[in-house]
């Protein structure tokens, strides 16, 4: 009872301390962006290793089953990305107020939601597998491999979602180095175990899936151990504060505003792929190669989106507009600079990258023709990634959802119209319009939103 009575005083004290101004510098931006960029870049490596391991068995059905299963996971797990981004934003704002109790409470609330959500996916794994098989509609041998991969890998869902919240907490506190180390542990173990179980022990696609399960579990234990040690040094708080139903309800309510943009972004990529297939197998293969190149560049830019989330959230928590303005300017400047650099690299070495991805002469020739579209995709998407980070960090999730709906509607319209008129050039033009509109629309809303927040 004594600790419960003391908590409001502690919270009040930390909230008052939160009015202390702070500066946002280039060094701060890079200290967050560089580790998170390195962490994000390890993600595409997993897909390459898994494909290489399964490909060694010489069975195209296994490779197809792995690819189809991974696509189903992208769809399902995109709906739970709010566990990472929502935790980052709310922890960053509490961090800006110097409210250690709320930082801790946000994590535990997110962890409860993550654990329940993950267990739900495990229970419904047979249904998810069946729906995935229906959606992909592939031949029986591919379906069997996909079914095995999905059912095994879904066992890792609770640990994977808890790892989302752990990463979100560390990023919200500005400790991206710890986030990087945990991601390196997770993905490094995943690569090693996929090779060991899938290749050397001969488990095949099942070994790749079990490698993910074990890796997620080890990373969760490591992250929770670090957090529990950290939490022991913080003030104690009551369960009533931690599991405040109103606060948990708010997290669940706003999750819909985060889930919608994530799903629509994934839907845009899938629709782009579908329309590419309508133009023929050569166009489909060409765009798949070019999209791989663009996505690697996008992983570089994601680090500055993460920096925007943390620094903007912290500035909103501290109610200090100069830090907010500087965070927006610096993350935008660095993101655009890196996007231009990525574009130059793609122009200079694009044909070599294409050759490393595919040996098919017709695909290489076609991809070289459309290479400029992929090269300019990084600059056209830089503002969208950075502005999304700003709005997520500020917890202006409704604006992100609304502007994504607007951009997606424009994308669908232009994709079908331009695709019929200009073929593959039209598809890429529609994709660039989608990218630019996402960023510009949020930028136009930013001034009004910031003015209201700091009034």
């Amino acid at each position: 009872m004594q600790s419960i009575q003391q908590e409001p005083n502690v919270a009040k004290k930390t909230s008052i301390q939160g009015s202390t101004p702070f500066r946002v510098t280039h060094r701060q931006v890079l200290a967050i962006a560089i580790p998170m960029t390195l962490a994000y870049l390890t993600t595409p490596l997993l897909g390459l290793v898994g494909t290489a391991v399964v490909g060694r068995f010489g069975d195209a059905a296994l490779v197809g089953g792995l690819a189809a299963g991974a696509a189903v996971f992208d769809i399902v797990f995109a709906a739970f990305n709010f566990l990472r981004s929502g935790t980052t934003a709310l922890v960053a704002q509490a961090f800006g107020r110097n409210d250690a109790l709320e930082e801790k409470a946000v994590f535990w609330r997110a962890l409860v939601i993550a654990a329940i959500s993950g267990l739900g996916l495990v229970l419904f794994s047979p249904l998810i597998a069946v729906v995935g098989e229906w959606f992909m509609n592939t031949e029986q041998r591919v379906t069997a491999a996909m079914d095995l991969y999905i059912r095994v890998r879904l066992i890792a869902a609770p640990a994977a979602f808890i790892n989302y919240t752990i990463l979100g907490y560390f990023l919200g506190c500005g400790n991206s180095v710890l986030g990087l180390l945990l991601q390196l542990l997770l993905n490094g173990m995943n690569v090693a175990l996929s090779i060991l179980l899938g290749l050397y022990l001969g488990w095949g696609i099942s070994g790749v899936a079990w490698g993910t399960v074990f890796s997620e579990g080890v990373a969760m234990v490591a992250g929770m151990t670090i957090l529990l040690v950290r939490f022991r040094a913080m003030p104690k708080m009551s369960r009533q504060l931690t599991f405040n139903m109103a606060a948990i309800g708010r997290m669940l309510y706003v999750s819909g505003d985060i889930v919608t943009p994530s799903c629509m972004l994934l839907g845009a990529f899938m629709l782009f792929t579908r329309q590419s297939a309508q133009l023929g197998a050569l166009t489909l293969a060409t765009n798949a190669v070019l999209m791989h190149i663009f996505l690697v560049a996008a992983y570089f830019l994601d680090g500055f989106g993460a920096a925007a989330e943390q620094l903007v959230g912290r500035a909103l928590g501290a109610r200090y507009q100069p830090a907010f303005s500087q965070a927006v300017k610096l993350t935008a400047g660095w993101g655009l600079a890196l996007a231009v650099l990525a574009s130059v690299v793609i122009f200079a070495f694009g044909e070599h990258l294409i050759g490393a991805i595919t040996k098919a002469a017709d695909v290489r020739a076609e991809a070289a023709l459309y290479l400029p579209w992929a090269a300019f995709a990084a600059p056209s998407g830089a503002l969208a990634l950075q502005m999304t980070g700003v709005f997520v960090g500020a917890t202006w999730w409704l604006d992100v959802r609304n502007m994504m709906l607007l951009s997606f509607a424009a994308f669908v319209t232009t994709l079908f119209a331009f695709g019929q008129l200009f073929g593959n050039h039209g598809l890429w033009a529609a994709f660039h319009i989608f990218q630019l509109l996402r960023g510009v629309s949020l930028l136009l809303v930013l001034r009004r939103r910031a003015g209201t927040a700091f009034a």
Side-chain angles (χ1 to χ4, degrees), residues 1-12 101 236-238 240-241:
M1 177 67 71
Q2 185 178 2
S3 62
I4 296 174
Q5 292 173 343
Q6 288 175 346
E7 282 171 1
N9 295 329
V10 175
K12 182 178 179 181
L101 290 177
K236 293 183 178 180
M237 60 184 181
S238 66
Q240 290 92 329
L241 175 63

Side-chain angles (χ1 to χ4, degrees), residues 12-213:
K12 182 178 179 181
K13 179 180 178 181
T14 53
S15 180
I16 293 171
Q17 291 171 344
S19 63
T20 304
F22 69 98
R23 293 182 63 232
V24 176
T25 64
H26 292 281
R27 184 174 181 178
Q28 281 180 301
V29 171
L30 295 176
I32 298 172
I34 292 176
M36 292 313 301
T37 296
L38 295 174
Y40 291 142
L41 283 174
T42 61
T43 301
L45 177 64
L46 297 179
L48 292 174
V49 171
T51 302
V53 167
V54 174
R56 292 292 294 273
F57 288 88
D59 189 341
L62 292 180
V63 177
L66 177 65
V72 171
F73 269 93
D74 287 340
I75 297 171
V76 173
F77 275 45
F80 295 91
N81 187 53
F82 73 91
L83 291 168
R84 203 281 303 162
S85 56
T87 303
T88 297
L90 295 174
V91 169
Q93 292 192 12
F95 182 72
R97 297 191 300 269
N98 288 333
D99 193 345
L101 290 177
E102 183 62 15
E103 291 176 38
K104 189 176 175 181
V106 166
F107 171 77
W108 287 117
R109 293 166 195 153
L111 182 139
V112 169
I113 297 172
I116 294 174
S117 301
L119 290 172
L121 286 187
V122 174
L123 291 175
F124 286 100
S125 58
L127 177 61
I128 294 171
V130 170
V131 172
E133 293 161 15
W134 169 82
F135 180 77
M136 291 299 175
N137 192 28
T138 60
E139 61 179 87
Q140 198 278 330
R141 292 180 65 245
V142 173
T143 297
M146 179 178 68
D147 181 83
L148 175 62
Y149 180 78
I150 291 175
R151 289 173 185 263
V152 173
R153 190 175 167 186
L154 272 176
I155 297 172
F161 292 166
I162 290 173
N163 285 331
Y164 283 3
T165 65
I166 292 172
L167 179 60
Y169 175 85
F170 284 126
L171 184 56
C173 295
N175 198 337
S176 56
V177 174
L178 261 178
L180 167 63
L181 293 176
L182 288 173
Q183 289 298 108
L184 290 177
L185 172 65
L186 169 62
N187 293 336
M189 278 198 63
N190 204 337
V191 168
L193 289 175
S194 294
I195 295 173
L196 174 63
L197 300 177
L199 192 59
Y200 287 99
L201 296 185
W203 292 11
I205 193 170
S206 176
V208 174
W210 278 112
T212 301
V213 174

